[in-house]
Amino acid sequence: MRHSLALALLFFAFFVVKSAHAQNAPARQFETKAAQVLMIEASTGTVLLAKGEDKPLAPASLAKLMTLEVVFNAIRRSAISLDTVYSVSEHAWRTGGAPSRTATMFAALKSQLRVEDLLRGIAVQMANDACIILAEGMDGSQEKFAARMNDRAKAIGLRTSHFANPTGLPHPDNSTTLSDMMVLARHLQSTYPEFYGLFSEPEFEWNKILQRNRNPLLNRSGGVDGLASGFSEDSGYALVTSAERDGRRMFLAIAGLPSDRERTQEAIRLLDWGFSAFKMRNLFDPGETIGAASVYGGDKAKVDLLATGPVDVYVAADDPERLQARIVYRWPLRAPLDAGSDVGVLKISQGERLLREVTLKSAEAVGEGTLRQKAGDALFELLFFWL
């Protein structure tokens, strides 16, 4: 009996039956014009739609979200403040200011701007001059600031992105994915609530020039409150946005649309679908045992596995396809094992689509077993792999 669970978990999978009855009907697919798309329900992290989300693309102005993260983090660490003042160099003015004919806040040459105003220039107007002014002021050059962007990107969990400048202006070394942009957008919204409101400010005036927010969804799709849009010749029109309706938040990233108009229409259609066609479903309550895992060389043969909170998924209301979940861990666990140790993940799927992953922790401590218990485990492991 000590090793029966290990045999059952030969492929490290345990299917949860706390789901709907099996049906033959496939999950309803949402057809989108976007070449790449990723949509996630915020509270559960459930993936509602994914298409080409890991395919590299030029970030264009979406790179400015990473620039903002670097500045927000510096303010949080008190390395700079909202009242810190930086000067407008000729390079910043020519490359990102009025002469550049790109998105700009029209900062005057050799003028001085507060960090707070520069942040508004980026969040509201996607201003290239504001990005360069901050980069030069904080690190002396765009190149050094880009190195900081890449360090921060790794620190917050971006897997493959690389930034060559703070603006996202064309450069062969600028690259990202929708998956990474989604991580960044969720991080900005949850980590910096004191700054997130900048994204939804309707307009910003600088140097006597008033500009409206460049997010095409503000005031056009209910609950949209951020983040950024972009365009590149290779990746088309892209958008990373978030919306909240009736207490539920959605994140959407899309790319590969042929026009600004189609990007806006498709984003509105996707968000409306995400908010209307799904329902929340509870699989496990807090503290409920989800499964168990074998322990090698311990005073107990197995340990129960728990999630730290409720395990919910956001699923299509009219889709009868069975939910499946499997426990994945590195067999066997080794004693001693502390209570609350991260020991595996619960992967929840619907059909072939992975909805979300939940970290599983050990419910109790497992001490080292006796010499006899260790010898028995060693013999079983040898026979297991030999067979």
Side-chain angles (χ1 to χ4, degrees):
M1 292 297 292
R2 180 178 176 86
H3 304 294
S4 60
L5 185 62
L7 287 170
L9 292 172
L10 175 59
F11 296 105
F12 313 113
F14 174 77
F15 289 93
V16 178
V17 295
K18 199 173 182 180
S19 62
H21 295 297
Q23 301 285 339
N24 293 323
R28 181 167 60 89
Q29 296 297 314
F30 186 85
E31 297 297 328
T32 175
K33 297 177 182 178
Q36 297 167 257
V37 61
L38 180 61
M39 185 158 62
I40 291 178
E41 193 278 327
S43 66
T44 63
T46 302
V47 177
L48 307 186
L49 190 63
K51 175 185 176 184
E53 70 275 18
D54 293 320
K55 180 182 177 182
L57 70 151
S61 284
L62 300 183
K64 295 179 174 87
L65 295 178
M66 193 67 238
T67 297
L68 288 172
E69 200 286 332
V70 170
V71 181
F72 293 164
N73 178 258
I75 296 171
R76 177 72 62 83
R77 294 183 293 103
S78 299
I80 61 173
S81 75
L82 291 173
D83 292 322
T84 299
V85 174
Y86 293 127
S87 298
V88 183
S89 70
E90 183 169 349
H91 172 72
W93 178 69
R94 289 193 181 279
T95 306
S100 70
R101 298 183 180 274
T102 64
T104 177
M105 66 182 287
F106 295 99
L109 176 62
K110 297 183 180 179
S111 63
Q112 293 190 323
L113 286 77
R114 296 166 60 245
V115 167
E116 184 173 9
D117 294 321
L118 292 167
L119 290 176
R120 281 192 165 85
I122 300 173
V124 177
Q125 300 167 348
M126 293 282 103
N128 289 315
D129 50 355
C131 294
I132 300 172
I133 294 164
L134 282 166
E136 292 180 340
M138 292 174 64
D139 288 313
S141 70
Q142 291 191 79
E143 293 75 19
K144 290 181 179 179
F145 186 85
R148 195 199 294 225
M149 292 171 69
N150 291 318
D151 288 342
R152 284 297 301 161
K154 291 178 182 178
I156 66 175
L158 274 62
R159 295 181 299 168
T160 60
S161 294
H162 187 272
F163 303 98
N165 54 45
T167 59
L169 289 171
H171 191 290
D173 293 335
N174 272 334
S175 180
T176 190
T177 64
L178 292 190
S179 291
D180 276 359
M181 283 293 106
M182 182 66 73
V183 171
L184 177 56
R186 296 182 71 187
H187 169 79
L188 289 170
Q189 190 272 332
S190 63
T191 307
Y192 304 109
E194 69 271 33
F195 297 124
Y196 187 74
L198 292 172
F199 291 111
S200 59
E201 292 189 3
E203 59 191 27
F204 179 57
E205 181 177 347
W206 189 259
N207 203 14
K208 298 182 180 180
I209 300 173
L210 179 68
Q211 296 185 72
R212 296 199 175 277
N213 196 303
R214 286 179 176 267
N215 186 333
L217 296 185
L218 285 180
N219 302 318
R220 296 191 62 180
S221 181
V224 170
D225 53 16
L227 299 158
S229 59
F231 168 77
S232 72
E233 293 290 343
D234 293 335
S235 304
Y237 287 83
L239 177 79
V240 177
T241 194
S242 183
E244 186 175 24
R245 300 180 191 174
D246 299 324
R248 185 156 314 288
R249 179 169 291 278
M250 207 73 62
F251 284 90
L252 172 66
I254 57 175
L257 277 304
S259 69
D260 179 25
R261 180 172 176 270
E262 288 188 79
R263 173 180 59 188
T264 300
Q265 291 177 338
E266 194 66 3
I268 292 172
R269 197 169 71 94
L270 282 160
L271 287 171
D272 288 346
W273 173 71
F275 281 112
S276 65
F278 291 79
K279 64 180 180 181
M280 191 65 70
R281 188 160 173 199
N282 174 258
L283 300 183
F284 294 97
D285 294 322
E288 185 176 352
T289 299
I290 294 176
S294 298
V295 182
Y296 175 88
D299 57 8
K300 299 181 181 69
K302 61 182 181 179
V303 63
D304 287 341
L305 304 179
L306 312 173
T308 55
V311 179
D312 298 326
V313 288
Y314 193 60
V315 295
D318 62 351
D319 193 339
E321 188 168 10
R322 170 183 288 181
L323 293 178
Q324 294 179 327
R326 60 192 182 103
I327 294 171
V328 180
Y329 71 97
R330 200 172 187 82
W331 179 87
L333 302 177
R334 303 276 175 172
L337 186 68
D338 294 332
S341 298
D342 291 349
V343 294
V345 294
L346 180 70
K347 296 191 174 187
I348 304 169
S349 304
Q350 189 169 37
E352 297 182 355
R353 183 163 59 95
L354 178 65
L355 299 180
R356 65 173 300 199
E357 295 184 359
V358 180
T359 299
L360 297 179
K361 297 181 179 293
S362 53
E364 58 184 341
V366 179
E368 288 195 34
T370 64
L371 182 60
R372 182 176 180 179
Q373 288 172 321
K374 292 180 180 179
D377 286 345
L379 178 61
F380 175 80
E381 188 174 13
L382 178 64
L383 290 173
F384 181 82
F385 286 104
W386 182 76
L387 291 172

